[in-house]
Amino acid sequence: MRKQKGLSLINLMAWGIILGGGLILGLKLVPAYTEYFGVKSALKGIAKEKAGAPLGEIREAFERRATIENIQSLTSEDLDIVQDQSGTTISVNYQRVIPLMGNASLVLDYSVEERGGSGGGE
C-alpha cells in the first residue's frame, strides 16, 4: 500500500490563516510606506527648490506638496528647518500608529532629513 501525499484540511486552514494575516498586515502597511515616500519626495524637492528661502515660504511649499502627496501625519509645523552657510537642511521625525486588532497596534518610527543647495538664511 502506498502512503498518501497531500495537504489535509487542517493544514490548508492553518496556511490560509497565516497567509491571510500576512496579506492583511501588508495591506495596512502600504499606505504608511507610501506616505513616508511622499514625505521624503516632498522634502527633497523643497530642499532643492527653496534653499535659502524664508522659513514661511518653505513651510507653505510643504503644505502645498502635502496636499498633493496626501500627507496627513505631518504639518509644516513639524518640520525642523536649519539654514546655515552649508545650505538648508529640512528634517522631520514622526510616528505612525497602525491599529491591527483589538488593542494591538503597530508603531512605525520615521526619520527623514534632506539637505539642499546654497546657504542663505534668516
Side-chain angles (χ1 to χ4, degrees):
M1 185 184 262
R2 294 187 340 174
K3 188 173 181 178
Q4 292 184 352
K5 296 180 182 179
L7 195 62
S8 70
L9 181 61
I10 301 294
N11 282 339
L12 182 65
M13 288 173 45
W15 278 109
I17 290 171
I18 291 169
L19 293 176
L23 180 66
I24 290 171
L25 181 64
L27 290 175
K28 288 186 176 224
L29 288 175
V30 166
Y33 278 106
T34 56
E35 184 180 60
Y36 165 72
F37 288 117
V39 168
K40 196 170 184 172
S41 162
L43 292 186
K44 185 179 232 178
I46 292 168
K48 285 182 181 178
E49 293 171 8
K50 302 290 182 183
L55 297 182
E57 192 175 319
I58 293 172
R59 292 188 192 284
E60 286 175 19
F62 178 79
E63 288 295 335
R64 286 191 303 271
R65 286 188 181 237
T67 301
I68 294 168
E69 297 279 347
N70 196 24
I71 298 169
Q72 299 174 350
S73 297
L74 299 173
T75 65
S76 62
E77 299 302 316
D78 297 325
L79 300 178
D80 296 322
I81 304 169
V82 177
Q83 293 181 334
D84 55 16
Q85 291 78 18
S86 63
T88 301
T89 302
I90 305 172
S91 62
V92 67
N93 296 314
Y94 69 101
Q95 284 186 341
R96 179 85 186 258
V97 178
I98 301 170
L100 295 177
M101 69 173 95
N103 61 355
S105 297
L106 184 64
V107 178
L108 302 173
D109 290 318
Y110 294 110
S111 178
V112 181
E113 181 176 319
E114 293 294 336
R115 177 173 293 280
S118 63
E122 244 173 71

